[in-house]
Amino acid sequence: MRKLKAVKRGGRRRMAFTVEDYHDLVRLLWEHPEWREELRRLLLTSELLALPEMVKDLTKAQRETERRLSALAEEVRGLAKQVSILTQGQRRLTEQVRLLTEGQQQLREEQQRLTEQVRALTEGQQRLTEQVRSLTEGQQWLTEQVRSLTEGQQRLTERVDLLTDTVGRMKGTLLEMNYQRKASAYFGLLLRRVKVVDLSSIDDVLTSALTSEELRDTLQIDLLVSGRLRHLPESPEVMLAVEISSVVDRNDVLRAVQRAKLLRKAGYSAVPVVCGEEVTKGGRDYAEKQSVVLLRDGGVEFWDEALSSWGIS
């Protein structure tokens, strides 16, 4: 190892440091690393000694800053994307708001029209209500008039029915009198020696053969005619139980049948007969079914059928 030479300058003695000395120093520091640290403490200030650590910290902080900046940039990109989406959504909302505003305006106009229509309908309803009230009053008046007319018609109908019954009875009475008075003319083509039988002349026979109720019914016969069959003059005497009505119906036929049966019960050869100016369809059909002789306007129906059915020969 070289020895340093002392050099005196300015009254002070200093050690001379040559290039060779520098190289020797470098070699020694290389061979003794622990000297380097000691030399560093001697040559450098505490701030300079702390600089590597500070640089390391700054490097670490820079990396953290870069990481945060990268994350922040990513967040900014995400926010930018969200802002773009929000901007598009805002545009859509703006368009929807515009459409809603237009729709609201249309609704206001429609509401105005509907309000006007409701007002017109209300006025029309009021007019209709007034008309209905007037019509109701008129209907009540008409109802009262109809009721009065109905009552009058009812009274008139009752009077007409009464007159009809009276006229019917009068016509029936006149017909009975006419058939009784002209018995030979009406029944002469059917019987010989025609005579009208007075019920009182056979009262004893009827009383002994019939009950009081049956006798009462038999005595209600309109006309009782007797005679012998014209085509069989030697045949026994026949009685015709005649019911007379201006219009012959089913009830007349039924009474003739019932009373002929009562006479037959009393022992007489009786045949039911109905006479009249007109006959109902039901009356004619029932007369044909029950084999009852029908005389009308001089014409005779069901005579042969009646004789056969009632055993007259």
Side-chain angles (χ1 to χ4, degrees):
M1 177 181 295
R2 294 176 182 268
K3 293 183 179 180
L4 296 177
K5 297 179 179 180
V7 179
K8 187 177 180 181
R9 290 182 181 177
R12 292 184 179 181
R13 191 175 182 179
R14 296 176 180 265
M15 298 296 293
F17 190 77
T18 65
V19 174
E20 290 81 3
D21 295 331
Y22 173 74
H23 288 297
D24 290 337
L25 178 60
V26 170
R27 182 178 53 78
L28 290 172
L29 291 174
W30 181 259
E31 293 175 355
H32 301 278
E34 66 277 8
W35 292 1
R36 291 198 300 270
E37 186 64 28
E38 182 67 22
L39 181 62
R40 189 180 291 114
R41 285 194 300 270
L42 293 174
L43 295 177
L44 300 176
T45 64
S46 59
E47 289 81 2
L48 291 176
L49 289 174
L51 186 59
E53 190 66 27
M54 293 174 63
V55 170
K56 186 186 294 183
D57 292 340
L58 287 173
T59 302
K60 183 178 180 181
Q62 184 178 6
R63 290 195 189 97
E64 181 65 21
T65 300
E66 289 176 353
R67 185 187 65 78
R68 291 183 179 181
L69 286 174
S70 178
L72 183 60
E74 186 65 26
E75 290 181 2
V76 169
R77 284 193 294 272
L79 289 173
K81 186 176 181 180
Q82 292 180 2
V83 168
S84 176
I85 294 172
L86 290 174
T87 302
Q88 294 177 2
Q90 185 180 15
R91 291 195 189 98
R92 289 194 297 270
L93 287 175
T94 302
E95 181 64 19
Q96 291 177 0
V97 168
R98 185 185 65 79
L99 294 175
L100 288 173
T101 302
E102 293 177 356
Q104 187 177 19
Q105 180 62 30
Q106 293 175 357
L107 286 175
R108 288 197 188 97
E109 295 174 357
E110 184 66 22
Q111 183 182 15
Q112 182 65 29
R113 287 194 296 270
L114 289 175
T115 301
E116 186 64 25
Q117 291 177 1
V118 168
R119 185 187 62 78
L121 288 173
T122 301
E123 294 176 355
Q125 185 180 16
Q126 291 174 350
R127 290 193 297 271
L128 286 175
T129 301
E130 183 64 24
Q131 292 176 0
V132 168
R133 186 186 62 79
S134 300
L135 289 173
T136 301
E137 293 176 355
Q139 184 181 16
Q140 291 174 350
W141 181 82
L142 286 174
T143 301
E144 184 64 24
Q145 294 297 315
V146 169
R147 186 185 63 79
S148 299
L149 290 173
T150 301
E151 292 177 354
Q153 184 181 13
Q154 181 65 29
R155 291 192 296 270
L156 182 60
T157 301
E158 292 174 356
R159 291 180 181 178
V160 170
D161 290 342
L162 180 60
L163 289 173
T164 301
D165 292 340
T166 301
V167 171
R169 286 194 298 271
M170 291 177 64
K171 289 182 67 175
T173 301
L174 290 174
L175 280 174
E176 290 178 16
M177 294 173 61
N178 193 42
Y179 271 92
Q180 184 175 1
R181 185 168 56 87
K182 297 181 179 180
S184 296
Y186 284 110
F187 303 105
L189 294 178
L190 305 177
L191 302 175
R192 298 180 63 187
R193 301 176 184 177
V194 175
K195 64 179 179 179
V196 176
V197 178
D198 186 354
L199 289 173
S200 62
S201 65
I202 60 173
D203 182 78
D204 293 339
V205 177
L206 295 176
T207 301
S208 62
L210 305 176
T211 65
S212 58
E213 184 175 350
E214 291 173 339
L215 177 61
R216 186 182 305 109
D217 189 22
T218 304
L219 294 176
Q220 298 298 319
I221 294 176
D222 291 339
L223 179 64
L224 185 60
V225 176
S226 66
R228 297 181 185 276
L229 297 178
R230 178 162 290 280
H231 66 286
L232 294 173
E234 302 300 326
S235 64
E237 188 177 63
V238 175
M239 283 191 176
L240 303 181
V242 184
E243 288 296 319
I244 303 170
S245 178
S246 59
V247 180
V248 176
D249 59 17
R250 182 185 177 94
N251 291 328
D252 296 316
V253 176
L254 181 60
R255 285 194 298 271
V257 171
Q258 291 174 342
R259 290 164 183 174
K261 288 181 178 180
L262 292 175
L263 289 170
R264 294 175 72 85
K265 182 180 179 181
Y268 298 102
S269 297
V271 176
V273 179
V274 289
C275 304
E277 295 176 343
E278 299 178 11
V279 61
T280 64
K281 183 179 184 305
R284 186 183 184 283
D285 292 343
Y286 196 53
E288 182 179 12
K289 181 179 180 181
Q290 296 295 324
S291 299
V292 175
V293 182
L294 173 62
L295 271 69
R296 180 180 52 163
D297 292 334
V300 180
E301 295 184 72
F302 315 129
W303 171 251
D304 293 334
E305 292 85 349
L307 294 179
S308 175
S309 177
W310 292 90
I312 306 299
S313 59

